[in-house]
Each structure stands twice: as C-alpha cells, then as structure tokens.
Amino acid sequence: MRVPFIKMHGLGNDFVVLDARSEALPPIGPATVAALADRRTGIGCDQLILLEPADTADFRMRIFNSDGSEVEACGNASRAVALLHGRAAQVETAGGLIAVEPTGCGARIDMGVPRFEWDALPLAYAMDTLSMPVGWDGLEAPAAVNVGNPHVVFFVPDAEGVPLDRLGPEIERDPLFPERVNVNVAQVTGPASLHLRVWERGAGLTRACGTGACATTVAAIRRGLIEGRAATVHLPGGPLEIEWSADNRVLMTGPAAESFRGTFDWGDFA
Ligand SMILES: N[C@H](CCC[C@H](N)C(=O)O)C(=O)O
C-alpha cells in the first residue's frame, strides 16, 4: 500500500506528516513509527505526526517520538501543521485543545495553560516545582512545567558547556518522572532573551523544541529571570517568540516549512 507523506520541520526539528483526515490509514504501532523515523533506513524524523478527523475540533494531531512513544504535545509540529492546513484551526491533541494560526512563514500557536502542580507534571512525589530540591552531576534545582507535555528546566551560566548528551537520557529516565521528561538547559542572555538546548523525551537532542521554549520562558518568568512576559528563545535551529499572556496562556510564534513530499510502501515499515 503506497502512502503519501509530507516532510516538514520547525527550526530543524523535523517531522514526517501523514494526513489521514480524509482517508484512514492502517493502525500505526511503535515499530512502524521507529522504522519510519530511522534516518538510516527510513524517511527519518524526530517525530511522526498523524492527522485524523476529530469530533470536537477541526482535526486531531497525534504525535509519536522517534522511539515510538506517543505523546501529548509538539510545538514545532503544531506550526508545521498550521502551515499545511493553511488557515486558523482548533486542533485536538492528547495534551488538550490548541489553537493554530498560520502566519506568512510559519504560525502562531496558543499552547494553552501551563501547569505547575507536581502531580500534573507528573512527578513521582510532591515537591516544589519552581525550584526542585534535586540535582544531577552539576545540574541543580530545576523548575518543572507541563505545557501539554512534561518539561524540566535547568538555568545555567553556560548552556553550551553542559554535557546534555550524557545527562539528558539520565534525567529523562529518572524515576522522579513517571512519564519520563523533556530536559531543557537554558542560559539567560538578556532582559528578554534565552539560549536553550533540549534533550527531548523519546527523541534525544533536537535542533529545536517548541514546547521546551514555552516551558523555559514560563519558568524564567516565574523565577523573575527575565523582564515582562515575553522572550525570544534562541535554539540551535533558530529563534522562537514566546509569550505567557496576562490571561495565562502560552503563545508561540515562529517559522515552519515543508521540505518535500513523497510516498512509501506501508508494507516496508509495518
Ligand atoms: N519530545 C516531546 C515531543 C516533541 C516536542 C518537541 N519536538 C516540540 O517541538 O515541542 C515529548 O516527548 O514530549
């Protein structure tokens, strides 16, 4: 069975998008996702995005990390899908309803209300999530924010100096995080600018993480590390504009692009 796909990215965080809104696809399992995502033998991507019809929104977006895990939110993919859809839409995700609006070269996304309660993150036990009494080999006292998906945020003097390829997987899989966690290392670089690197749950180091930029900006504002309620977050793949609005919603604006389209034989990967 030949299946069409669209390869897209947001600041280099890349996606294989399967659009099943008008024609259903066979069920997707973790093995199928991992095979498609494999950059050596598959099409290759950080996340696989599946669009489906929805009852209570314009459509549903399902998000699968390259390790096959299905997760609740993906900021960069939300912008890519907004561009693909071509007009404003309400999108149902496992992390809740988001609002997407294409702009000239990307999109503006309302990611919804951030959560800070330890059991909403979730954490394995009660803890202050503004400055957690934990540490891993020099990374200390992070903040934790759920923006549909779980993030832990470390503020450091030199983000590039952190061995995130070693500490990321260790923290991602720590028993403190029952659903694992996205690991953010951020450096304040100005009154409204942050430099961010992310070890993504289920995907590893990526060029950009939209939800990571959202979580990090909210954590920086909660900590009083930046002025006002908006920041430019500089990721390896480029900048995102994040605002935590006065009515408690996290808004993300940034680029997205289509790379190419193609088809693959479902039987090769199922
Ligand atoms: N790895 C994330 C999903 C993708 C998030 C990232 N690609 C983004 O743009 O938000 C998670 O497991 O929650």
Side-chain angles (χ1 to χ4, degrees):
M1 171 186 183
R2 296 301 299 178
V3 175
F5 68 87
I6 305 127
K7 188 75 190 294
M8 303 189 83
H9 76 92
L11 296 179
N13 177 205
D14 64 351
F15 315 105
V16 170
V17 180
L18 304 182
D19 191 346
R21 290 179 290 180
S22 49
E23 190 175 341
L25 287 172
I28 288 190
T32 306
V33 177
L36 275 170
D38 189 328
R39 298 187 190 280
R40 294 158 306 174
T41 56
I43 301 167
C45 61
D46 295 324
Q47 278 87 23
L48 183 131
I49 304 299
L50 175 63
L51 305 182
E52 297 180 323
D55 300 331
T56 59
D58 293 297
F59 57 90
R60 177 172 181 76
M61 172 171 80
R62 294 176 66 188
I63 302 146
F64 300 85
N65 284 316
S66 52
D67 72 352
S69 56
E70 184 169 2
V71 291
E72 313 92 336
C74 183
N76 288 318
S78 303
R79 298 196 315 277
V81 163
L83 194 72
L84 183 66
H85 185 62
R87 58 188 180 280
Q90 295 285 317
V91 181
E92 194 180 285
T93 70
L97 203 58
I98 62 172
V100 306
E101 182 183 359
T103 60
C105 58
R108 175 179 160 88
I109 312 295
D110 176 342
M111 296 294 291
V113 174
R115 303 284 304 278
F116 310 113
E117 312 81 47
W118 68 273
D119 49 351
L121 247 290
L123 302 180
Y125 41 83
M127 186 182 300
D128 169 18
T129 59
L130 183 56
S131 180
M132 299 162 69
V134 293
W136 289 266
D137 193 9
L139 285 180
E140 306 290 335
V145 185
N146 186 299
V147 286
N149 57 353
H151 288 265
V152 67
V153 183
F154 296 89
F155 291 101
V156 297
D158 173 15
E160 291 303 319
V162 173
L164 195 52
D165 55 340
R166 173 170 64 83
L167 291 176
E170 182 183 332
I171 298 167
E172 172 193 356
R173 295 179 178 279
D174 190 288
L176 176 59
F177 307 105
E179 292 180 15
R180 299 190 285 162
V181 74
N182 294 283
V183 183
N184 299 264
V185 172
Q187 179 180 341
V188 179
T189 51
S193 71
L194 296 157
H195 174 58
L196 177 63
R197 297 174 62 216
V198 187
W199 173 273
E200 284 197 31
R201 175 182 61 172
L205 287 172
T206 59
R207 296 282 298 151
C209 181
T211 48
C214 292
T216 298
T217 302
V218 168
I221 294 167
R222 292 189 80 207
R223 287 259 184 105
L225 299 176
I226 58 173
E227 295 170 8
R229 299 185 64 87
T232 300
V233 180
H234 298 274
L235 295 130
L240 286 174
E241 301 301 329
I242 310 295
E243 177 191 354
W244 182 14
S245 68
D247 63 344
N248 194 24
R249 305 191 73 82
V250 187
L251 309 174
M252 169 184 57
T253 304
E258 179 176 319
S259 303
F260 58 88
R261 293 181 182 227
T263 62
F264 67 92
D265 189 319
W266 189 273
D268 288 351
F269 296 109

